[in-house]
């Protein structure tokens, strides 16, 4: 799958504060819908809907355990997001370095 499509979908999915809260919980450890709903101020059906969107964006994966599903972060997509942020940060720092190292009076 195209990395840009994956990361665009992931960034879009993370635009919702409830989804970011779910990601934050899952960063601690894998959890069921019930465990997530117990930690968040939203209902189980709402958690399920948010998980569906996060799964569609490639941010989470799930596995069956008995009658429930356990959700966890998708390391590949999270890594792609981190790579993008690292790239943006590196470019910003390089641009800052160029400005700081300009000789006095050199207006580009």
């Amino acid at each position: 799958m195209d990395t840009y499509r994956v990361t665009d979908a992931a960034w879009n999915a993370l635009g919702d504060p409830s989804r970011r809260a779910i990601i934050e919980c899952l960063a601690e450890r894998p959890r069921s819908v019930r465990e997530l709903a117990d930690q968040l101020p939203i209902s189980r059906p709402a958690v399920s809907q948010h998980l569906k969107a996060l799964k569609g964006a490639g941010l989470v994966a799930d596995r069956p355990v008995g009658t429930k599903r356990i959700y966890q972060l998708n390391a590949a997509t999270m890594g792609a997001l981190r790579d993008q942020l690292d790239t943006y940060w590196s470019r910003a720092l390089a641009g800052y370095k160029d400005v700081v190292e300009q000789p006095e009076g050199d207006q580009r």
Side-chain angles (χ1 to χ4, degrees):
M1 184 176 266
D2 182 20
T3 302
Y4 290 112
R5 250 185 304 165
V6 169
T7 54
D8 281 349
W11 289 123
N12 289 335
L14 290 172
D16 183 279
S18 294
R19 292 183 191 146
R20 289 192 305 272
I22 290 170
I23 292 293
E24 205 172 308
C25 286
L26 293 176
E28 294 172 5
R29 65 179 172 80
R31 299 174 193 245
S32 68
V33 171
R34 180 180 179 184
E35 290 174 299
L36 288 165
D38 288 347
Q39 294 293 310
L40 301 168
I42 55 178
S43 67
R44 283 187 205 170
V47 169
S48 293
Q49 288 299 311
H50 287 299
L51 284 167
K52 182 178 178 182
L54 291 169
K55 186 176 177 181
L59 287 164
V60 301
D62 63 332
R63 60 182 161 75
V65 175
T67 59
K68 58 186 170 181
R69 302 197 76 69
I70 302 298
Y71 291 84
Q72 64 187 39
L73 295 180
N74 180 332
T77 304
M78 297 303 290
L81 293 179
R82 183 178 176 140
D83 288 348
Q84 275 192 336
L85 287 175
D86 286 345
T87 298
Y88 300 152
W89 185 243
S90 294
R91 287 179 187 163
L93 288 176
Y96 178 74
K97 180 182 175 198
D98 289 346
V99 169
V100 169
E101 291 178 350
Q102 281 184 40
E104 287 289 322
D106 185 9
Q107 303 279 330
R108 289 186 191 183

